[in-house]
Amino acid sequence: MNNLQQLMQMGQQLQARITKLQDSLKSQKITASSGGGMVNATVDGKGDVKEVRLDPACVDKDDIEMLEDLIVAAVSQAQAKARQQYDEQMKQAAGGLPMQIPGLF
């Protein structure tokens, strides 16, 4: 019976760490750029877009398609960085436990 209680306690501790981590993700800022820094996209730790900044030099009314591509590239890179950080932080918070525990999250 002690083992079951210990397992339940570990599960509760893990859940608390995961909840705290997920709350902190909202305040993280991850930025990526494209076009040699002409377009910068910032996302939070969950990958939600928070800001896009454009260098006025990249705004060409005759080549909107290039600007659109640069924006998509910057946002995609920022979201990929956010996913990578999220995965690393979740592994650390889980203390090496597998993250696919049914019913835990």
Side-chain angles (χ1 to χ4, degrees):
M1 196 66 151
N2 255 352
N3 288 339
L4 182 57
Q5 287 175 334
Q6 287 176 333
L7 184 59
M8 293 288 287
Q9 189 175 31
M10 286 175 53
Q12 290 171 346
Q13 290 171 353
L14 175 60
Q15 183 67 41
R17 286 193 306 245
I18 299 300
T19 300
K20 184 177 178 182
L21 172 62
Q22 289 175 335
D23 288 343
S24 76
L25 291 172
K26 295 174 190 173
S27 64
Q28 292 180 1
K29 291 185 179 182
I30 298 134
T31 301
S33 65
S34 65
M38 294 175 70
V39 175
N40 292 293
T42 301
V43 299
D44 65 14
K46 292 186 173 189
D48 295 332
V49 178
K50 296 299 177 186
E51 181 179 280
V52 174
R53 291 195 173 261
L54 307 174
D55 182 329
C58 73
V59 180
D60 180 354
K61 67 178 183 170
D62 296 324
D63 195 4
I64 296 299
E65 188 175 327
M66 179 203 62
L67 180 56
E68 292 169 341
D69 291 343
L70 291 174
I71 292 170
V72 169
V75 169
S76 295
Q77 288 177 25
Q79 288 174 327
K81 284 182 178 182
R83 276 190 300 275
Q84 181 181 4
Q85 282 187 5
Y86 174 84
D87 289 344
E88 290 170 3
Q89 290 175 2
M90 287 296 267
K91 285 178 187 175
Q92 186 177 18
L97 291 173
M99 293 308 298
Q100 304 300 335
I101 301 172
L104 187 59
F105 307 106

